Amino acid sequence: MNKKILIVEDDIHISKIIKMNLNIVNYETTEVYDGLAALELVKREKFDLILLDVMIPKLDGFALMERIRPYRIPVIFLTAKNSVYDKVDGLRLGADDYMVKPFEAIELLARIETVLRRYGKEEQMMAFQTLLVDLDKREITKQGEVVELTPKEYDLLVVLLKNKNIALSREQFIDKVWGGDYYGETRTVDMHIKSLRKKLELQDHIKTIYKLGYRLED
């Protein structure tokens, strides 16, 4: 599957050039032109990397970086600023690299490849709202604090995350979490969903689908 890159750049001409060069090497790209639009998109979709201009309207790059930090998406800052202080600020906020415009396309591609290699295990991390799930450790944190879940609650949460915005039946949850040889009642799904909602404060996000099952929504 092609890597998805979000381009946040208010200069449409520069954004289109970046998009063209990334598409040539088979990256999937999305463009937005202000910080608030980028924030809303990050909440709804999964991206492998963000190219982020500092001087963008509505919410500047540094402020946006603060807001999207829980999503653990690698970020390369793009800016016309060449001050060492701006670079330090960007990197201190958690950016993975910092490029000063104008730059050559081949250099940008090389930087992107380097950052993505560094995040070679990014598929082992899943984020939703203020939750972060480490699939290697089977650990869930909410706003940085570890939340204790039972093994089945954890498995159920991962199924919800992997199928975000998709309605699944109770039978599908049983098959994915408990296995095809489970012969208990489907009410156990309801009990575990109730517990997840309470422990992770997901009452507004795990929707009940009448006569079917459940769906996780932003």
Side-chain angles (χ1 to χ4, degrees):
M1 184 180 295
N2 294 340
K3 298 292 186 181
K4 291 180 63 175
I5 297 179
L6 176 61
I7 304 167
V8 190
E9 165 64 69
D10 64 328
D11 186 317
I12 296 177
H13 177 67
I14 293 175
S15 181
K16 295 298 182 188
I17 291 175
I18 293 173
K19 178 182 177 67
M20 178 186 69
N21 281 286
L22 295 185
N23 290 164
I24 287 173
V25 292
N26 295 319
Y27 287 119
E28 184 179 335
T29 55
T30 302
E31 298 171 273
V32 291
Y33 309 108
D34 68 73
L36 287 180
L39 179 61
E40 290 305 311
L41 203 55
V42 167
K43 289 179 180 179
R44 298 197 310 268
E45 298 185 27
K46 181 181 184 298
F47 292 96
D48 297 291
L49 185 138
I50 299 175
L51 298 177
L52 178 56
D53 185 23
V54 173
M55 302 302 291
I56 49 176
K58 298 185 180 180
L59 191 67
D60 69 43
F62 290 154
L64 176 61
M65 184 72 200
E66 292 268 21
R67 301 281 291 274
I68 64 175
R69 187 182 294 163
Y71 294 91
R72 298 290 292 269
I73 306 170
V75 172
I76 297 177
F77 271 125
L78 309 177
T79 181
K81 290 187 174 183
N82 198 16
S83 164
V84 66
Y85 298 107
D86 293 317
K87 292 182 181 180
V88 170
D89 285 343
L91 296 173
R92 185 178 289 145
L93 284 170
D96 296 270
D97 207 342
Y98 194 110
M99 295 189 67
V100 177
K101 295 182 283 189
F103 47 77
E104 295 293 333
I106 191 169
E107 181 186 4
L108 175 61
L109 293 174
R111 299 281 190 98
I112 289 172
E113 289 175 9
T114 298
V115 171
L116 289 176
R117 277 199 303 271
R118 195 182 306 151
Y119 276 76
K121 294 176 67 178
E122 79 269 17
E123 287 82 5
Q124 298 306 310
M125 305 295 292
M126 301 182 72
F128 179 80
Q129 298 292 321
T130 58
L131 298 177
L132 190 64
V133 180
D134 187 322
L135 299 177
D136 277 342
K137 296 180 180 179
R138 288 181 64 90
E139 181 180 84
I140 292 117
T141 56
K142 180 176 176 61
Q143 294 181 319
E145 297 292 327
V146 175
V147 180
E148 296 295 337
L149 298 181
T150 67
K152 293 303 183 189
E153 288 170 352
Y154 170 87
D155 292 339
L156 186 59
L157 175 64
V158 170
V159 170
L160 285 165
L161 289 170
K162 289 184 176 179
N163 295 275
K164 189 173 71 171
N165 297 321
I166 299 173
L168 296 177
S169 69
R170 290 171 176 83
E171 289 76 17
Q172 286 175 300
F173 283 115
I174 290 290
D175 184 58
K176 293 175 182 293
V177 176
W178 283 266
D181 56 351
Y182 175 80
Y183 294 106
E185 295 185 3
T186 58
R187 279 193 59 193
T188 191
V189 176
D190 302 328
M191 294 168 56
H192 282 76
I193 288 288
K194 181 179 179 180
S195 181
L196 276 183
R197 283 171 168 161
K198 183 176 180 181
K199 288 183 177 181
L200 301 176
E201 299 177 356
L202 292 175
Q203 292 88 345
D204 295 332
H205 300 286
I206 300 179
K207 304 293 185 180
T208 300
I209 309 303
Y210 182 61
K211 290 188 177 180
L212 178 67
Y214 299 94
R215 179 176 62 234
L216 180 67
E217 298 178 358
D218 280 318

